[in-house]
Amino acid sequence: VPTSNIRNFSIIAHIDHGKSTLADKLLQLTGTVESREMKDQFLDNMDLERERGITIKLQAARMRFTYENEPHCLNLIDTPGHVDFSYEVSRSLAACEGALLVVDASQGVEAQTLANVYLALENNLEVIPVLNKIDLPGAEPNRVSQEIEEVIGLDCSNAIYCSAKEGIGITEILNAIVQRIPPPHDTNGRPLRALIFDSYYDAYRGVIVYFRVVDGTIKKGDRIIFMASGKDYFADEIGVLSPSQMQVEELRAGEVGYLSASIKSVADARVGDTITHYTRRAEQSLPGYKEATPMVFCGLFPVDADQFPELRDALEKLQLNDAALKFEPETSSAMGFGFRCGFLGLLHMEIVQERLEREYNLTLITTAPSVVYRVNTINGDTVECSNPSLLPEPGKRSSIEEPYVKIELLTPKDYIGPLMELAQDRRGEFKEMKYLTESRASIIYELPLAEMVGDFFDQLKSRSKGYASMEYSFIGYRESELIKLDILINGDCVEPLATIVHKDKAYAVGRALTQKLKELIPRQMFKVPIQACVGSKVIASESLSAIRKDVLAKCYGGDITRKKKLLRKQAEGKRRMKAIGKVDVPQEAFMAVLKLE
Ligand code: GDP
Ligand code: MG
């Protein structure tokens, strides 16, 4: 089709507002996917995503749609729905000219919706408001349209009311995409510039790169170079996503497709990088490229020391597919050999852990996540520290800086009090509060990222009965009065339990943590002291009394199935224990610091 009949768009929605359901319906109605081969929610590919009902990785699909007897080509570029991946969202939006803003008509505007709409507007996208779930008895599309107008300032006079589930309003949406979203510019004559919005590693073909051609034309066999990584390849295969891969000979300005070129690692072809021709190079790469910086670090140790080489292999394989994952070997006298790993955020961390265990069959102990501190030493150097146990001694450092984030909470007004209390308690600095509508407010705080790692999000949800939503962004480093809290078990310092806390919180954290550890660590045959120390000073201590444990004694008579059950339960508990000195420490203990009251 001519460039003027191409439309590139994405869908912006808060989690659960119906993005995947709508995408499926668009694919179905355009005959892109036969209904019989339709798995629910075609675009969410990974098992993990389907289970959690979230979109982690971007995918794209090309649809054929006839509008006023003219064939059109609509490219849907999906976006991940989690703050950890907001950079990928920004790149996929940069590959589009328009976006559908899907809002649940029974709910309203949420924090994630806001953040992504602002990104879309910054990228000059045409935004089409879509009020979904009008089939629900509680749907109030008129009220929610008004809310969108007030909060975002987006004209909703021609908003589309739809039910993705019931298939109502889907044709109107397709028509609106053609009518309202501008076609790409025809810049086929210019030197090639294509924006990578996703890439993944395929064991047989190497990295598959998803891109949008912004200028010029790319042909099968062309010699190409990635401008940021500087790596060059021959584009052995190029094609479109319909949504399965279909080879073509060339892709022109405005088109969306994939290429494969025997690329060994996604690090060579990262999201946000620009593809150009090796000989006829573009002068300037497309704007907005950023290297992924891990924000959260943790230690990963195999429960069984023999699994160390397997863990290394698995991490190397995952890294081929995940340029944001960082790792280096970490040895600790308590834990043995393992890796210190860096992640974009907590969800990213959870995903990697889960994949290591599920896809690579490893049993791991994960230590509590830490942010990256900047330590200014007395000789004027600055060192980065992502492992609390390696924090330079007080005598060697002059100050410590920690990463800060700006958070925006959207909440019904009833929960303003409890949420402000939460933010205050986490060292939050109040910045601004405004009412979006009569009943909903936006609250902005600046607070240390470290205070958000852990149960902040769970707390937000429970204190607002699930009604509040949030969004955060990194704003920079600030100096704080931080100290290291060590934990001694049975007299041994357990490095992975060390944590960095604000000095005003040290006593409270020390007390709560020793109490929590006392609950979590199973009693042993001997008495075990648990102590929290700052330097050599003990600030809190508890002790586990000795027990002679004989679970089977609890069983009456000869009920063999019950005995077996008990033994199995005990064995499962053992799976995730690490012997530290003479004491078995379970996985939960390493995360205890995140769950203190
Ligand atoms: P996503 O997180 O934005 O991708 O949302 P999903 O498409 O996964 O939808 C979240 C939930 O809302 C699912 O249980 C859907 O079945 C449901 N849902 C989606 N669209 C509609 C709709 O139009 N009406 C109703 N009643 N439910 C819907
Ligand atoms: Mg989804």
Side-chain angles (χ1 to χ4, degrees), residues 251-268:
L251 287 167
R252 301 154 60 82
E255 292 192 285
V256 172
Y258 75 92
L259 69 81
S260 98
S262 310
I263 303 164
K264 294 288 181 305
S265 161
V266 289
D268 293 351

Side-chain angles (χ1 to χ4, degrees), residues 66-77:
T66 307
Y67 177 80
E68 293 184 339
N69 294 323
E70 287 247 359
H72 282 71
C73 167
L74 314 183
N75 292 305
L76 164 59
I77 297 176

Side-chain angles (χ1 to χ4, degrees), residues 186-197:
D186 184 346
T187 52
N188 284 304
R190 293 200 198 153
L192 174 67
R193 288 202 298 177
L195 175 66
I196 302 178
F197 60 83

Side-chain angles (χ1 to χ4, degrees), residues 523-563:
R523 292 205 260 165
Q524 316 282 322
M525 308 289 232
F526 45 91
K527 192 173 146 193
V528 179
I530 301 171
Q531 297 160 303
C533 305
V534 173
S536 56
K537 187 172 161 208
V538 178
I539 60 165
S541 82
E542 290 284 338
S543 104
L544 264 182
S545 53
I547 191 183
R548 172 166 282 279
K549 195 161 62 176
D550 186 357
V551 270
L552 294 184
K554 283 190 220 140
C555 290
Y556 48 86
D559 185 346
I560 189 73
T561 53
R562 175 142 183 226
K563 252 184 211 174

